[in-house]
Amino acid sequence: MISEQDVYAALQGVAGPDGKTPLPETGAIAGVTLRGDKIYLSLSVAPEQAAALEGMRLAAEQTLRRLPGVASVLVNLTAQKPASAPPPRRPGPSTPPRSLAVPGVERIIAVASGKGGVGKSTTAVNLALGLASLGWRIGILDLDIYGPSLPRLLHIHEQPSVVDRRIQPLEAFGVKAMSIGFMLDEEEPVVWRGPMVMGAVQQMLRDVAWGELDCLVVDMPPGTGDAQLTLAQNVALAGAVIVSTPQDLALIDARRGIAMFNKVNVPVLGVVENMSYFLCPQCGTRSDIFAHGGARHEAEKLGVPFLGEVPLALDIRAHSDEGEPIIVAAPESVYAAAYRGIAAKVQAALEGAPVRPAPKIVIE
């Protein structure tokens, strides 16, 4: 069993930020997390040093991989300002462009929700596959560090490889995919503090070899915490899609999500009403379990586009659990058509074309 002492002892052979002092003696180690045969290490450095210290990060990662019994290692750099630094100015019209770009990726969009349990990840995956069906080269990044869903939703149960110091994304249904869940057992919890979360977010954007993509769809964690702000404040997002259910409680949190993106000048591409109603698979009776139309009304009130509604349907849930999203498993179904309609509106918005109202899909 690997211990924290083993980690610190191994890192004595790695030079710290000054190029000579052993890393454990520099105070740069912000956190070590051990999960069986996996090691997660966060290194805290000054923002202006982050790029120059990439070699130190790689040296630490390679050193830890050589420890007996280690299966995988993730080392991230967390660039933090000194405590005495003034607070960052709130982004506004004159704010400079965000600094972190992903080579080869033309657009990055976030799929977000104010709270969990609204079907955000299922929506993100089917949106990504819908955009791919429209001819775009698509990647999907699962940034839900504490509850990654992509391994189950895309039926991927292997670890990504590293080639020339770049993490190679895995692929499913013609879409490139990356998730912290690919490096963890499904039932293994992630117990990380904020700096490690923010560092992991930056690393999965910076160190993954995405190649040429028309759009990278980012499945955000629920809420408006560290991961969301790290992405929104540091990445040139082309827009955000907000997922909500119709009831008032979910809409309150959806408003917070919209407000957060407005504050950091990220365009809200629109709102999706998920679990819009329930259709009984036996009798075909429709029931508005969570009320109906709340997300549409909220979008109209806030002046953002309404992208469409998706029902609470057994087929969507079952195929998602089996790792075969509905848009792939039943491409001719009305459920797949609903997701493709949402994808078409998102594509049109990203291309700057006028968004036409989608025809109402009647599910019988």
Side-chain angles (χ1 to χ4, degrees):
M1 180 70 71
I2 306 160
S3 69
E4 192 168 313
Q5 288 74 19
D6 295 331
V7 172
Y8 276 86
L11 293 176
Q12 283 291 129
V14 177
D18 62 1
K20 54 184 179 181
T21 307
L23 183 57
E25 299 174 21
T26 64
I29 297 178
V32 177
T33 301
L34 305 176
R35 291 288 179 269
D37 56 2
K38 301 177 180 65
I39 301 174
Y40 306 95
L41 176 71
S42 180
L43 303 176
S44 178
V45 300
E48 63 273 12
Q49 292 182 296
L53 294 178
E54 176 62 14
M56 179 189 72
R57 186 193 71 78
L58 287 170
E61 199 167 79
Q62 291 164 359
T63 297
L64 294 177
R65 282 198 177 115
R66 290 194 289 268
L67 285 174
V70 171
S72 66
V73 177
L74 178 64
V75 178
N76 61 61
L77 287 178
T78 301
Q80 294 188 324
K81 296 182 182 295
S84 59
R89 182 168 54 89
R90 175 175 290 184
S94 60
T95 302
R98 298 175 180 89
S99 58
L100 182 58
V102 181
V105 177
E106 188 170 345
R107 310 168 183 87
I108 303 175
I109 64 170
V111 179
S113 64
K115 63 178 293 166
V118 299
K120 170 187 53 62
S121 295
T122 300
T123 301
V125 166
N126 282 285
L127 170 60
L129 292 168
L131 289 168
S133 74
L134 295 172
W136 272 11
R137 298 163 297 177
I138 297 296
I140 182 166
L141 172 59
D142 182 358
L143 282 190
D144 195 344
I145 304 295
Y146 297 113
S149 301
L150 215 56
R152 172 62 65 93
L153 289 170
L154 293 179
H155 196 65
I156 296 176
H157 302 291
E158 57 185 285
Q159 289 196 359
S161 60
V162 179
V163 177
D164 294 331
R165 300 180 177 180
R166 303 291 303 282
I167 303 170
Q168 304 301 303
L170 301 176
E171 189 167 321
F173 312 115
V175 169
K176 294 180 179 180
M178 185 62 202
S179 170
I180 194 72
F182 296 159
M183 307 173 193
L184 302 169
D185 296 329
E186 189 173 58
E187 297 180 1
E188 185 176 330
V190 176
V191 187
W192 289 355
R193 295 186 184 277
M196 293 189 73
V197 171
M198 291 184 284
V201 169
Q202 293 170 351
Q203 186 173 0
M204 284 198 290
L205 285 163
R206 180 189 61 219
D207 295 342
V208 175
W210 289 107
E212 299 295 320
L213 296 179
D214 294 299
C215 186
L216 176 63
V217 177
V218 180
D219 179 16
M220 300 284 281
T224 53
D226 291 329
Q228 295 89 333
L229 290 172
T230 297
L231 186 76
Q233 292 180 331
N234 293 283
V235 178
L237 288 175
V241 172
I242 306 297
V243 181
S244 180
T245 49
Q247 77 268 37
D248 291 342
L249 188 60
L251 292 170
I252 291 170
D253 294 307
R255 283 182 214 121
R256 294 191 182 105
I258 292 172
M260 183 197 75
F261 286 113
N262 285 337
K263 285 182 179 179
V264 292
N265 283 351
V266 172
V268 176
L269 300 173
V271 177
V272 174
E273 181 171 285
N274 197 34
M275 306 182 200
S276 186
Y277 50 88
F278 172 70
L279 192 70
C280 176
Q282 278 76 40
C283 66
T285 302
R286 169 175 165 158
S287 301
D288 294 339
I289 296 177
F290 302 119
H292 177 259
R296 180 191 294 272
H297 297 150
E298 194 65 29
E300 292 172 352
K301 186 169 73 174
L302 296 175
V304 298
F306 180 70
L307 298 174
E309 56 186 39
V310 180
L312 176 62
L314 179 61
D315 282 351
I316 297 176
R317 193 277 305 163
H319 286 297
S320 295
D321 285 349
E322 292 167 4
E324 193 177 22
I326 192 72
I327 205 166
V328 172
E332 303 305 318
S333 68
V334 289
Y335 311 127
Y339 284 119
R340 281 196 300 272
I342 292 167
K345 285 188 172 184
V346 169
Q347 185 186 57
L350 291 171
E351 291 180 333
V355 179
R356 297 181 180 178
K360 186 174 180 61
I361 296 173
V362 179
I363 298 178
E364 298 178 347

